[in-house]
Short mmCIF file of all heavy atoms in Angstrom, two decimals:
data_model
loop_
_atom_site.label_atom_id
_atom_site.label_comp_id
_atom_site.label_asym_id
_atom_site.label_seq_id
_atom_site.Cartn_x
_atom_site.Cartn_y
_atom_site.Cartn_z
N PHE U 389 33.84 44.17 -47.45
CA PHE U 389 34.40 44.70 -46.12
C PHE U 389 35.24 45.93 -46.48
O PHE U 389 35.13 46.89 -45.65
CB PHE U 389 35.28 43.47 -45.57
CG PHE U 389 36.27 44.07 -44.57
CD1 PHE U 389 35.77 44.59 -43.34
CD2 PHE U 389 37.62 44.06 -44.75
CE1 PHE U 389 36.64 45.05 -42.41
CE2 PHE U 389 38.52 44.33 -43.87
CZ PHE U 389 38.05 44.97 -42.65
N ILE U 393 34.48 49.83 -45.07
CA ILE U 393 35.38 50.61 -44.26
C ILE U 393 35.55 52.07 -44.86
O ILE U 393 35.55 52.95 -44.24
CB ILE U 393 36.79 49.87 -44.13
CG1 ILE U 393 36.61 48.63 -43.42
CG2 ILE U 393 37.78 50.77 -43.35
CD1 ILE U 393 36.02 48.69 -41.91
N ASP U 398 31.09 50.37 -41.90
CA ASP U 398 31.60 49.39 -40.94
C ASP U 398 32.91 50.11 -40.30
O ASP U 398 33.51 51.03 -40.82
CB ASP U 398 32.02 48.06 -41.58
CG ASP U 398 32.05 47.05 -40.61
OD1 ASP U 398 32.01 47.22 -39.31
OD2 ASP U 398 32.20 45.82 -41.03
N LYS U 399 33.35 49.60 -39.20
CA LYS U 399 34.48 50.01 -38.45
C LYS U 399 35.63 49.07 -38.70
O LYS U 399 35.41 47.85 -38.77
CB LYS U 399 34.12 50.20 -36.98
CG LYS U 399 33.11 51.33 -36.67
CD LYS U 399 32.91 51.43 -35.17
CE LYS U 399 31.92 52.55 -34.92
NZ LYS U 399 31.65 52.71 -33.59
N LEU U 400 36.83 49.59 -38.68
CA LEU U 400 38.03 48.71 -38.84
C LEU U 400 38.36 47.91 -37.60
O LEU U 400 38.60 46.77 -37.76
CB LEU U 400 39.26 49.68 -39.13
CG LEU U 400 40.48 48.81 -39.74
CD1 LEU U 400 40.15 48.18 -40.98
CD2 LEU U 400 41.62 49.88 -39.98
N ALA U 401 38.14 48.55 -36.41
CA ALA U 401 38.31 47.74 -35.14
C ALA U 401 39.63 46.97 -35.04
O ALA U 401 39.58 45.72 -34.85
CB ALA U 401 37.12 46.83 -34.90
N ILE U 402 40.63 47.67 -35.34
CA ILE U 402 41.97 46.98 -35.46
C ILE U 402 42.53 46.42 -34.10
O ILE U 402 43.31 45.57 -34.08
CB ILE U 402 43.05 47.92 -36.08
CG1 ILE U 402 44.25 47.12 -36.58
CG2 ILE U 402 43.39 49.03 -35.18
CD1 ILE U 402 45.19 47.97 -37.36
N HIS U 403 42.00 46.92 -33.07
CA HIS U 403 42.36 46.59 -31.68
C HIS U 403 41.68 45.26 -31.30
O HIS U 403 42.01 44.76 -30.11
CB HIS U 403 42.18 47.68 -30.71
CG HIS U 403 43.07 48.93 -31.05
ND1 HIS U 403 44.37 48.87 -31.06
CD2 HIS U 403 42.71 50.13 -31.42
CE1 HIS U 403 44.78 50.05 -31.35
NE2 HIS U 403 43.83 50.85 -31.57
N THR U 404 40.73 44.80 -32.04
CA THR U 404 39.93 43.63 -31.63
C THR U 404 40.41 42.39 -32.40
O THR U 404 41.06 42.63 -33.50
CB THR U 404 38.43 43.78 -31.85
OG1 THR U 404 38.25 44.03 -33.30
CG2 THR U 404 37.84 45.01 -31.10
N TRP U 406 38.51 40.24 -33.97
CA TRP U 406 37.85 40.10 -35.27
C TRP U 406 38.30 41.19 -36.27
O TRP U 406 38.28 40.89 -37.48
CB TRP U 406 36.33 40.10 -35.07
CG TRP U 406 35.79 41.46 -34.56
CD1 TRP U 406 35.49 42.53 -35.36
CD2 TRP U 406 35.50 41.77 -33.24
NE1 TRP U 406 35.03 43.56 -34.65
CE2 TRP U 406 34.97 43.15 -33.32
CE3 TRP U 406 35.45 41.11 -32.02
CZ2 TRP U 406 34.55 43.74 -32.12
CZ3 TRP U 406 35.07 41.77 -30.83
CH2 TRP U 406 34.59 43.17 -30.95
N GLY U 407 38.66 42.35 -35.78
CA GLY U 407 39.20 43.29 -36.69
C GLY U 407 40.55 42.93 -37.25
O GLY U 407 40.78 43.01 -38.49
N LYS U 408 41.46 42.33 -36.50
CA LYS U 408 42.70 41.73 -37.12
C LYS U 408 42.47 40.61 -37.97
O LYS U 408 43.23 40.55 -38.96
CB LYS U 408 43.57 41.40 -35.87
CG LYS U 408 43.99 42.47 -35.01
CD LYS U 408 44.81 42.03 -33.78
CE LYS U 408 45.21 43.15 -32.83
NZ LYS U 408 45.93 42.62 -31.69
N ARG U 410 39.81 40.06 -39.94
CA ARG U 410 39.38 40.57 -41.27
C ARG U 410 40.52 41.33 -42.05
O ARG U 410 40.47 41.10 -43.21
CB ARG U 410 38.22 41.66 -40.92
CG ARG U 410 36.97 40.90 -40.43
CD ARG U 410 35.78 41.89 -40.41
NE ARG U 410 35.93 43.05 -39.61
CZ ARG U 410 35.07 44.01 -39.54
NH1 ARG U 410 34.01 43.87 -40.09
NH2 ARG U 410 35.31 45.14 -38.75
N ILE U 411 41.26 42.05 -41.42
CA ILE U 411 42.42 42.73 -42.10
C ILE U 411 43.37 41.68 -42.73
O ILE U 411 43.78 41.68 -43.91
CB ILE U 411 43.16 43.65 -41.24
CG1 ILE U 411 42.26 44.81 -40.79
CG2 ILE U 411 44.50 44.18 -41.90
CD1 ILE U 411 42.89 45.72 -39.76
#
Side-chain angles (χ1 to χ4, degrees):
F389 161 65
I393 296 299
D398 200 351
K399 294 181 179 179
L400 195 60
I402 195 170
H403 299 295
T404 62
W406 66 82
K408 294 175 182 176
R410 293 191 301 180
I411 294 171

